[in-house]
Amino acid sequence: MAIHSSGTLLTAEEAAKILGVNQKRVRRLSSQGILGRTQDGRRLYITEKSVHEYMRYDRKPGRPFNQKTALAALSMISGMRVPLTAKQRYRLKNTLMNTDVQHLLSLCRKRAEARDFWCRNSRLEDVAAQLRLSSATGDMADAFELTHTDNVEGYIEKSRLEELIARTYPRDNTSIPNVRVHITECDLSSFGTTMPIGVCAADLAESDDIREHAAGISKLEQLLTEFKQSHEGD
């Protein structure tokens, strides 16, 4: 049954039925900022208005970038050099100049494969040492004005995943994860020594936690606005 506030809210199940997709897809669209959302405790609600807007307009806002281009886009709005040719940088810059945050998240949604694990607290430090940290892990929480937690999130090259698992023994398919690993086939060293702030913001924007989601969206809006201003007239 729909819940009424300043606008009509739908459960994830109701939104999924209207859109003809599963609830996981609804949660992903809401995490990307494409569907409006609100939370009551752990329960997710979707604004009816955003569901109908999504049905009215293009439901496929552009083919997603490949992993390298997605990471390059988020690096570029972070003010970092990117491992692309001059022609590729020019085309990507033009795309970024004509997009908004929701579209950017959609274009970059396949930047890596995300897997959740549970790991003993005594091994979390070792896990963190094997990853290029992202989201609000550790001191990154301060950059987004979020509370520090023990959870770890970061990126790793696919070729090094088995080494991480062998060293830290994380449990897969758990209902209480404290580690999220983004697995990529890209050479992460070509994107600098730490994950760009734009990547961290995108990861937060896709969080089911409403505070993390809002912090990620806010930072992406700031980065994209500053990027457009700095390249206006190029």
Side-chain angles (χ1 to χ4, degrees), residues 91-194:
R91 293 178 62 185
L92 182 56
K93 185 197 76 172
N94 285 342
T95 298
L96 293 173
M97 292 294 288
N98 293 283
T99 194
D100 57 26
V101 168
Q102 292 184 5
H103 190 202
L104 176 62
L105 284 169
S106 180
L107 290 173
C108 296
R109 65 186 181 272
K110 293 188 176 182
R111 59 190 174 278
E113 174 194 353
R115 286 178 61 182
D116 291 334
F117 298 93
W118 176 87
C119 190
R120 292 181 183 275
N121 288 341
S122 60
R123 294 181 180 141
L124 288 178
E125 186 175 343
D126 195 16
V127 171
Q130 305 299 313
L131 301 175
R132 287 182 179 246
L133 300 180
S134 183
S135 190
T137 303
D139 292 339
M140 286 302 300
D142 295 332
F144 294 96
E145 299 182 350
L146 292 169
T147 303
H148 286 242
T149 71
D150 292 331
N151 293 346
V152 174
E153 183 168 352
Y155 284 69
I156 194 170
E157 293 165 10
K158 187 175 182 179
S159 61
R160 296 187 55 238
L161 179 62
E162 292 305 318
E163 177 187 351
L164 171 70
I165 293 174
R167 292 188 59 170
T168 58
Y169 307 105
R171 296 181 187 175
D172 207 347
N173 299 321
T174 176
S175 61
I176 49 171
N178 57 1
V179 175
R180 170 163 286 188
V181 178
H182 297 271
I183 306 157
T184 177
E185 296 183 1
C186 295
D187 176 8
L188 291 176
S189 65
S190 61
F191 292 95
T193 57
T194 59

